[in-house]
Every structure is written in structure tokens, then in C-alpha cells.
């Protein structure tokens, strides 16, 4: 099988490529990525010379570039996106260009090329926010209520993918996953930022009261879930992916402090994120019952593995916390 993996130089995409080459060694992977600030070919250093892996630099919003890369491809897995909520608040435009227009162009070219499956990787953030005190969880039939420009752009992309199935019978699947963490995550998201800040001797910025709840999934469990959807998922279907490890941000940070043996005075409460979603939670019953998916990692063990990875790979993330990142950090946190 020949797969076009878009956004394969990013966090989840590169983990997925490592996962796929290990578990499906006879398949061919084309990594198609335009290498934004979040795209990093060092993530794929160990496979770059594999016979069944190639990299093509290109933009999913550029039909010509996609057409060139998609020749003889059976399956498209679309990870390519602008992915950080805070950046979408500072500047929504690139989110619309890549996540909405890019997805539409990718869909058109993939349809024209006759691919057998178009898998779209999305987020639970499209469903909006849950009350702290309710027991409600997001499911495949939850209403779309995106609150950030990022979530709104992903919601629009999900609708387009679904519409291409309904209108043209295009063979799609969609997954809406909870927050991921693990190796190769750009040091801007809560867990990767907290670990790297602490390793640099800096404080961890916690938004608002710190009592926001997320459902954290280890990235390798996400990759295995996408594999199952590609193998056994129903064409046209959506699957929610997540675990029962809903946890408050402040608790996540305290766990990281404990693993790194650092003191709570490294926590710094900062101004809240506008439109901040209070709680996310996923009901993964459909993918569990229909496809037999089960996460393999529990949160605490996976967090230790992740902290260890960042400890051992300082040169990987130190390069990313460069001048350009410093500018973003200053604008976002009003700190250096
Ligand atoms: P990321 O920001 O780490 O990586 C995104 C990758 O896409 C980068 O390599 C970037 O260079 C590439 N890219 C961006 N614009 C592109 C374009 N126009 N053309 C080609 N490539 C482009 O993101 P991630 O965290 O790995 O997320 C991957 C996907 O998973 C996204 O679609 C995101 O919405 C979704 N998702 C992420 C999470 C999470 O917690 N990180 C959770 C659920 C779903
Ligand atoms: P993040 O990792 O950005 O993922 P998302 O916004 O997609 O859920 O944020 C996770 C949670 O952590 C969210 O409630 C915002 C909060 N947060 C902080 O408190 N401080 C930070 O510096 C960041 C980046 C996030």
C-alpha cells in the first residue's frame, strides 16, 4: 500500500510514520509537509534513508504540489494543520488557509486521483466545552460548537470531509481525538512547554485558575487507533478517540514537577486564554466496540516516558526554542 501522510514532519504525523514503518514494513510512505515552524525533519532522522519512505516538501493548499506527490497513492492520512489554539487567537488567518482551504484542495486532488481512502485527523475541540460539574462526554453525534479559531477551522475541515462523502461518495473516515502528548511535540503545548521550561530552569505558565480539564492520550495510542480505522473503519464514519484520564491542568503540572523533583514555586499563574474551554472528555465506546481499540498506556507511565524523552533529547527541543519562538513567547506570555 502507498500512503500520502500530510503533515508528517509534525508531532503526531512523525510518530505515525515511525509507527507505520514499524508495523507495516512493506508499505510505502510519502511524507508531504511544507515545514512550518512546527514541521521538523529531525523527527524522522532515523528513517530518512529507508527505502519505503520519501519526503516531499509541499503545501496542501497548493493543488499542483499535491498533484505531483499523490501519484499512485492508495490512502491519504491528513495530519497537516496549524494546530495551536493560542497561535490561532493571535492570528487566525493561517488556520483558515491550511485547515479549511488546504483540506478542500487536498480533498479535490485526492478525489481526482481516485484514492481508496481519505482519512482526516481531527480534534475533540470541535465539540466545544463541557461543564466542570457535568458527567457528559463528547461522542460522534455531539453537536459542533467550536470556540477558538483553531477549533472552528478544524470543524470546517471536518464538515468538508463529510460533505465530500455525502455529495461525491468519496471514501473518507474522520477521527476526533483528545489532547495528545509524547515525543516530538513542539514545546508550545501544555505538557511539552512545562517539561522544557522546567528543564531550562524557567517557570510554567498556568492559565487562569488552572482547573481546566483535558483528556490526555499518549500519541502512540492515537497512532494505533488511526491504524485500526484505516484497516477496519466504516467508510463515511467518524470515530472519537480518547481515554478516561481527564485531569486538571494544575494536576498535570504538579505531576511533572514531581517527576523532575522541582518545587511548586515553579508554577506561575498567568492571564487566562480568551474563550478557554473548561473541560473536554471523550466517550470512546464506538471505536472500542466496533474496532476493538484500547489504549495501552496509562497517563502516569506515559508522562514519565515523555519527561524522560525530553530529558534525553535536549538538543532536539533547545533548537526549537529559538529567536522566533522567543518572539511568540513574549507576545503570548509577556515574559521571556
Ligand atoms: P503539529 O503542529 O505538530 O504539526 C503539523 C504539521 O503540519 C507540521 O509538520 C507542519 O509543517 C505541517 N503543515 C502545516 N501546514 C501545512 C500545509 N499547508 N501543507 C503541508 N503541511 C503543513 O500538529 P500535531 O499536533 O501533530 O497535529 C496533527 C493533526 O492532529 C492536526 O490536524 C491536529 O488538528 C490534529 N490533532 C492534534 C491533537 C494534539 O493534541 N496535538 C489532538 C487531536 C487532533
Ligand atoms: P494546550 O496544550 O494548548 O492544548 P488545547 O488548548 O488544545 O487543549 O493546552 C492544554 C490546557 O493547558 C488548556 O486548558 C490550556 C492550558 N495551558 C496553560 O495553562 N498554560 C500554557 O502555557 C498552555 C500552552 C496551555
Amino acid at each position: 500500500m502507498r500512503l500520502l501522510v500530510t503533515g508528517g514532519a509534525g508531532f503526531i504525523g512523525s510518530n505515525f510514520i515511525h509507527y507505520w514503518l514499524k508495523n507495516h514494513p512493506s508499505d510505502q510512505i510519502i511524507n508531504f509537509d511544507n515545514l512550518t515552524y512546527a514541521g521538523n525533519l529531525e523527527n524522522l532522522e532515523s528513517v530518512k534513508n529507508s527505502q519505503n519512505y520519501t519526503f516531499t516538501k509541499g503545501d496542501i493548499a497548493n493543488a499542483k504540489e499535491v498533484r505531483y506527490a499523490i501519484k499512485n497513492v492508495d490512502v491519504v492520512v491528513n495530519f497537516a494543520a496549524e494546530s495551536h489554539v493560542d497561535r490561532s487567537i493571535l492570528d487566525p488567518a493561517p488556520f483558515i488557509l491550511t485547515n479549511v482551504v488546504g483540506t478542500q484542495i487536498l480533498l479535490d486532488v485526492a478525489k481526482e486521483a481516485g484514492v481508496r481512502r481519505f482519512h482526516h485527523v481531527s480534534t475533540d475541540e470541535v465539540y466545544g466545552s463541557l461543564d466542570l460539574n457535568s458527567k457528559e462526554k463528547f461522542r460522534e453525534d455531539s453537536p459542533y460548537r467550536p470556540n477558538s479559531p483553531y477549533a472552528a477551522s478544524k470543524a470546517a475541515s471536518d464538515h468538508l470531509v463529510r460533505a465530500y462523502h455525502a455529495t461525491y461518495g468519496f471514501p473518507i473516515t474522520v477521527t476526533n481525538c483528545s489532547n495528545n502528548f509524547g515525543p516530538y511535540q513542539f514545546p508550545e503545548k501544555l505538557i511539552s512547554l512545562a517539561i522544557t521550561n522546567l528543564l531550562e530552569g524557567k517557570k510554567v505558565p498556568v492559565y487562569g485558575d488552572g482547573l481546566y480539564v483535558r483528556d490526555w492520550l499518549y500519541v502512540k495510542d492515537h497512532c494505533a487507533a488511526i491504524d485500526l480505522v484505516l484497516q477496519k473503519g466504516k467508510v463515511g464514519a467518524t470515530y472519537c478517540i480518547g481515554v478516561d484520564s481527564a485531569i486538571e491542568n494544575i494536576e498535570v503540572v504538579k505531576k511533572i514537577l514531581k517527576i523532575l523533583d522541582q518545587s511548586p514555586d515553579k508554577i506561575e499563574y498567568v492571564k487566562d486564554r480568551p474563550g478557554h474551554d473548561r473541560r473536554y472528555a471523550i466517550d470512546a465506546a464506538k471505536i472500542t466496540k466496533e474496532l476493538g481499540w484500547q489504549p495501552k498506556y496509562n497517563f502516569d507511565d506515559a508522562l514519565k516516558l515523555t519527561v524522560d524523552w525530553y530529558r534525553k533529547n535536549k538538543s532536539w527541543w533547545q533548537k526549537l526554542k529559538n529567536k522566533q519562538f522567543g518572539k511568540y513567547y513574549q507576545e503570548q506570555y509577556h515574559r521571556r
Side-chain angles (χ1 to χ4, degrees):
M1 193 160 77
R2 213 170 145 80
L3 291 91
L4 183 77
V5 176
T6 71
F11 162 49
I12 308 176
S14 59
N15 275 283
F16 180 79
I17 290 174
H18 285 294
Y19 169 95
W20 201 271
L21 291 174
K22 190 167 160 211
N23 289 283
H24 304 276
S26 54
D27 287 350
Q28 290 287 330
I29 289 197
I30 301 143
N31 174 10
F32 183 83
D33 196 301
N34 71 343
L35 303 180
T36 66
Y37 77 93
N40 185 353
L41 289 177
E42 279 190 30
N43 302 5
L44 295 152
E45 194 58 30
S46 64
V47 300
K48 73 172 187 202
N49 295 321
S50 304
Q51 289 205 330
N52 48 354
Y53 169 79
T54 51
F55 171 71
T56 302
K57 188 170 187 301
D59 183 345
I60 59 164
N62 182 321
K64 209 171 142 198
E65 290 174 359
V66 179
R67 230 171 253 133
Y68 171 79
I70 210 166
K71 284 187 197 113
N72 302 320
V73 158
D74 303 294
V75 170
V76 173
V77 187
N78 182 29
F79 292 97
E82 289 293 336
S83 70
H84 191 38
V85 172
D86 294 324
R87 290 187 192 254
S88 83
I89 295 167
L90 294 172
D91 182 13
F95 287 75
I96 306 308
L97 289 176
T98 285
N99 301 3
V100 186
V101 179
T103 300
Q104 179 263 313
I105 289 170
L106 188 63
L107 280 163
D108 269 350
V109 179
K111 181 164 75 65
E112 162 194 303
V115 303
R116 280 200 279 119
R117 177 72 72 84
F118 183 102
H119 182 71
H120 182 62
V121 180
S122 193
T123 166
D124 61 355
E125 305 194 24
V126 298
Y127 303 122
S129 182
L130 297 167
D131 282 346
L132 215 43
N133 300 321
S134 84
K135 290 212 159 57
E136 203 190 332
K137 293 183 173 186
F138 298 135
R139 300 161 23 127
E140 291 76 5
D141 56 1
S142 295
Y144 272 57
R145 288 193 181 111
N147 289 318
S148 69
Y150 163 66
S153 68
K154 291 298 288 186
S157 67
D158 292 9
H159 293 323
L160 282 166
V161 174
R162 229 188 124 262
Y164 271 60
H165 177 65
T167 307
Y168 308 111
F170 188 52
I172 62 98
T173 37
V174 177
T175 44
N176 293 88
C177 186
S178 60
N179 290 60
N180 281 218
F181 68 107
Y184 303 118
Q185 184 162 37
F186 191 86
E188 65 185 353
K189 306 276 164 59
L190 179 66
I191 290 182
S192 50
L193 182 77
I195 298 170
T196 56
N197 270 17
L198 291 169
L199 290 173
E200 286 179 304
K202 287 190 180 155
K203 294 196 173 189
V204 179
V206 172
Y207 296 154
D209 59 13
L211 302 179
Y212 294 84
V213 171
R214 296 292 182 264
D215 175 42
W216 293 96
L217 179 72
Y218 193 51
V219 63
K220 294 189 185 183
D221 280 326
H222 186 186
C223 296
I226 296 172
D227 186 1
L228 268 181
V229 172
L230 287 175
Q231 310 290 337
K232 300 203 279 177
K234 210 172 127 211
V235 169
T238 287
Y239 296 89
C240 282
I241 308 170
V243 264
D244 241 340
S245 70
I247 170 163
E248 290 168 352
N249 294 340
I250 191 66
E251 289 308 315
V252 172
V253 174
K254 283 182 183 163
K255 280 175 189 280
I256 296 171
L257 285 169
K258 195 161 172 221
I259 298 170
L260 286 170
D261 201 19
Q262 297 212 19
S263 94
D265 66 12
K266 283 277 161 54
I267 295 170
E268 182 171 36
Y269 286 94
V270 299
K271 194 166 161 276
D272 210 347
R273 171 189 281 174
H276 198 168
D277 289 335
R278 189 42 101 171
R279 181 172 75 89
Y280 299 149
I282 287 267
D283 175 352
K286 181 177 175 187
I287 191 167
T288 305
K289 278 195 200 130
E290 270 188 30
L291 310 185
W293 178 76
Q294 289 281 357
K296 286 200 181 119
Y297 295 82
N298 75 49
F299 181 71
D300 286 351
D301 292 343
L303 190 63
K304 280 193 199 112
L305 288 175
T306 304
V307 171
D308 249 18
W309 188 87
Y310 282 88
R311 251 201 289 232
K312 288 188 186 126
N313 290 277
K314 276 196 178 137
S315 66
W316 179 87
W317 58 262
Q318 275 168 341
K319 269 181 252 171
L320 302 177
K321 287 194 151 179
N322 54 17
K323 215 165 149 192
Q324 190 192 5
F325 183 80
K327 214 170 139 227
Y328 158 72
Y329 201 81
Q330 174 69 29
E331 191 178 358
Q332 175 61 23
Y333 297 97
H334 308 291
R335 280 162 181 76
R336 280 174 201 287

